[in-house]
Amino acid sequence: TQLLEQSPQFLSIQEGENLTVYCNSSSVFSSLQWYRQEPGEGPVLLVTVVTGGEVKKLKRLTFQFGDARKDSSLHITAAQPGDTGLYLCAGVDDSWGKFQFGAGTQVVVTP
Amino acid sequence: DAEITQSPRHKITETGRQVTLACHQTWNHNNMFWYRQDLGHGLRLIHYSYGVQDTNKGEVSDGYSVSRSNTEDLPLTLESAASSQTSVYFCASSEFSGTNYNEQFFGPGTRLTVL
């Protein structure tokens, strides 16, 4: 079983600060996805990265896939209370066609 | 609009009872998944299906079963509910596209409590 480790588990910051969360594995994934989950709801996809070294930006969110396709990071610039949520990374392995999820990073942004 | 729904949203049952959680999607996706979410463990795969009549075990399949008689539905059955199965259950669907999987669309979840 491929394991995805996310760090930190919990992050509390003030509005306007920057933050970075990490997703690491010892295994290579075909692609990696980041989801955000709000209380009482299912996760919602933010981005998919597929190429080693790829960087994608979604407004104030920057996603990077490691060169070896084993790790990824999510950086949020000038965080806002609306960024509060559980951030999950999911690795996709084409050989067995399933998603492997990390345990998530709970982000709380206070006004 | 296409969607994925789960029912019930909340369920309380007793140890030893059989429980079925429903999942219905109108995306016309071939792939459907059941996960459970517990604090500190993230989402763990219970069962999944790549199409009608196809079912496969995930990493935490003991005590659970699924059946796929049509594209839209993948019900999850707990044969004899145990307190360890108290959790939030999520159903998801996706479509395989070329060499990369598209996003998974998740239902709103079912909170199951086994007393």
Side-chain angles (χ1 to χ4, degrees):
Chain A
T1 302
Q2 299 166 308
L3 295 177
L4 276 170
E5 295 186 357
Q6 290 190 241
S7 61
Q9 289 184 306
F10 182 81
L11 195 55
S12 180
I13 60 171
Q14 296 286 323
E15 181 176 3
E17 294 181 339
N18 302 332
L19 68 97
T20 302
V21 299
Y22 300 92
C23 176
N24 295 292
S25 173
S26 58
S27 300
V28 175
F29 288 100
S30 306
S31 60
L32 193 137
Q33 298 180 337
W34 283 93
Y35 291 78
R36 180 168 65 210
Q37 183 180 18
E38 299 188 12
E41 299 180 6
V44 176
L45 181 71
L46 295 173
V47 76
T48 300
V49 285
V50 299
T51 305
E54 181 177 4
V55 176
K56 279 192 175 179
K57 292 190 175 183
L58 185 66
K59 296 184 181 179
R60 293 176 294 98
L61 279 60
T62 301
F63 304 86
Q64 185 162 7
F65 201 13
D67 291 341
R69 305 209 317 275
K70 294 182 179 180
D71 57 273
S72 181
S73 63
L74 158 61
H75 181 79
I76 301 179
T77 303
Q80 299 177 359
D83 296 324
T84 292
L86 179 67
Y87 289 82
L88 296 158
C89 65
V92 182
D93 186 332
D94 285 342
S95 64
W96 40 281
K98 298 190 299 292
F99 297 74
Q100 180 73 44
F101 280 86
T105 294
Q106 180 64 52
V107 172
V108 176
V109 183
T110 54
Chain B
D1 288 345
E3 61 178 355
I4 180 165
T5 57
Q6 294 182 236
S7 62
R9 294 294 312 275
H10 301 270
K11 175 77 175 177
I12 299 175
T13 191
E14 295 177 341
T15 300
R17 291 189 179 268
Q18 184 182 76
V19 177
T20 297
L21 308 182
C23 175
H24 180 81
Q25 54 101 358
T26 58
W27 291 99
N28 200 34
H29 286 159
N30 285 322
N31 307 329
M32 294 186 72
F33 308 83
W34 272 105
Y35 297 90
R36 59 178 289 173
Q37 186 173 37
D38 305 286
L39 195 63
H41 290 279
L43 288 162
R44 291 183 291 175
L45 184 64
I46 305 171
H47 282 285
Y48 59 102
S49 168
Y50 289 146
V52 176
Q53 301 301 329
D54 176 74
T55 60
N56 306 278
K57 294 182 179 180
E59 60 180 307
V60 289
S61 61
D62 287 349
Y64 304 93
S65 64
V66 293
S67 62
R68 187 90 180 269
S69 59
N70 58 51
T71 300
E72 295 80 18
D73 299 289
L74 187 70
L76 176 71
T77 297
L78 286 67
E79 304 295 344
S80 177
S83 58
S84 60
Q85 294 177 309
T86 293
S87 186
V88 181
Y89 292 85
F90 287 97
C91 179
S93 70
S94 73
E95 194 60 55
F96 179 62
S97 174
T99 58
N100 297 310
Y101 284 86
N102 286 336
E103 68 180 289
Q104 286 193 93
F105 294 86
F106 284 84
T110 294
R111 182 174 295 275
L112 176 68
T113 302
V114 183
L115 301 176

